[in-house]
Amino acid sequence: MKLLCLHGYQQSAAIMQSETSFLKSIIEGSIGEEVQLFYAQGPFPSSVPAASLGPTYAWWPSDPAATDIATFSYLSQTLDAEGPFDGIVGFSQGGSVGSLTAALLERPRSLRPANFTTKHAPLQFVISYSGYHEDDMRLQQYYAQKIRTPILHFISSTDPVMAEERCFRLVRRCEDSDDRVVVYAGSGFHRVPATKMTSQSLSRFLTEVLDIEAY
């Protein structure tokens, strides 16, 4: 199994890898096979660098007037060059981008951005940590149809950066979200949780959507 990992705003592939490497063993233990995690880097430099781990990046352009959003062509190139992927793991802005990517892969080319040209098949699932509904008006058309791809939403009730309501707005754009929302009281930081409860929730989700017989 191969998963595409998308970091949050003002982060990088290296930062996300350092904070989520523990997921590999959890996923492998849940599905009973080796898992490859590919950490992609956002195409746009962000304004706040991380001194210890080098420059940081964003997934959306800072120019609100841009109409041909390069994010979609960048994602297409990544999917075609590094895939195929079975699913996406996204954190914060990466969770938002991952959910929209899943949505676009479900749809005919006529309902996709013109520069989202990938031939990649629809994904089996998305794991979204603090992922949210984008407010950018240029993206609202892509939420018009509900997302059918199974998405597991991890939402922290104590996240100092991302409000619960914005995360739940994404949940409401998913066709089947029953038992796929995990609300937890986090550590007070904006990060991927590594608790026993969230790990068990991840295992149950994978077992369900991949139709794996529980051990």
Side-chain angles (χ1 to χ4, degrees):
M1 174 173 285
K2 189 172 186 178
L3 303 180
L4 175 61
C5 301
L6 306 178
H7 62 77
Y9 177 62
Q10 295 180 338
Q11 290 194 343
S12 66
I15 292 173
M16 186 176 184
Q17 184 171 11
S18 71
E19 295 183 352
T20 60
S21 58
F22 69 91
L23 291 175
K24 179 177 169 65
S25 61
I26 296 172
I27 297 171
E28 288 180 340
S30 302
I31 68 174
E33 64 178 79
E34 184 178 357
V35 172
Q36 181 180 355
L37 302 179
F38 177 80
Y39 290 86
Q41 193 137 277
F44 306 103
S46 64
S47 57
V48 181
S52 61
L53 290 172
T56 60
Y57 300 86
W59 288 101
W60 302 115
S62 58
D63 180 6
T67 54
D68 185 25
I69 301 177
T71 306
F72 296 121
S73 59
Y74 183 83
L75 288 168
S76 289
Q77 293 166 13
T78 301
L79 290 167
D80 291 339
E82 304 295 343
F85 296 100
D86 298 282
I88 288 178
V89 179
F91 171 65
S92 196
Q93 190 178 78
S96 168
V97 172
S99 300
L100 279 175
T101 300
L104 294 175
L105 289 173
E106 298 170 358
R107 298 170 189 172
R109 295 189 184 278
S110 61
L111 297 179
R112 299 179 179 184
N115 60 350
F116 190 73
T117 58
T118 180
K119 297 180 180 179
H120 198 286
L123 300 168
Q124 294 187 61
F125 61 86
V126 174
I127 303 165
S128 173
Y129 292 96
S130 300
Y132 54 88
H133 187 295
E134 291 287 354
D135 292 330
D136 192 322
M137 291 305 299
R138 296 169 296 180
L139 302 174
Q140 299 315 300
Q141 59 184 308
Y142 306 123
Y143 291 107
Q145 295 183 27
K146 286 198 170 185
I147 304 170
R148 299 191 305 274
T149 302
I151 301 178
L152 178 61
H153 306 264
F154 286 98
I155 302 173
S156 171
S157 60
T158 56
D159 193 316
V161 174
M162 186 51 55
E164 282 185 79
E165 173 53 27
R166 199 169 176 195
C167 296
F168 275 106
R169 284 175 58 202
L170 174 59
V171 173
R172 290 193 288 271
R173 297 316 304 153
C174 297
E175 191 170 271
D176 183 5
S177 59
D178 290 347
D179 298 321
R180 292 177 180 169
V181 180
V182 180
V183 179
Y184 63 97
S187 59
F189 297 98
H190 186 53
R191 61 181 51 171
V192 174
T195 68
K196 181 178 180 180
M197 183 272 285
T198 56
S199 297
Q200 290 175 337
S201 297
L202 174 56
S203 293
R204 283 195 297 269
F205 170 77
L206 292 171
T207 300
E208 172 196 339
V209 300
L210 299 176
D211 196 23
I212 298 171
E213 187 174 346
Y215 294 108

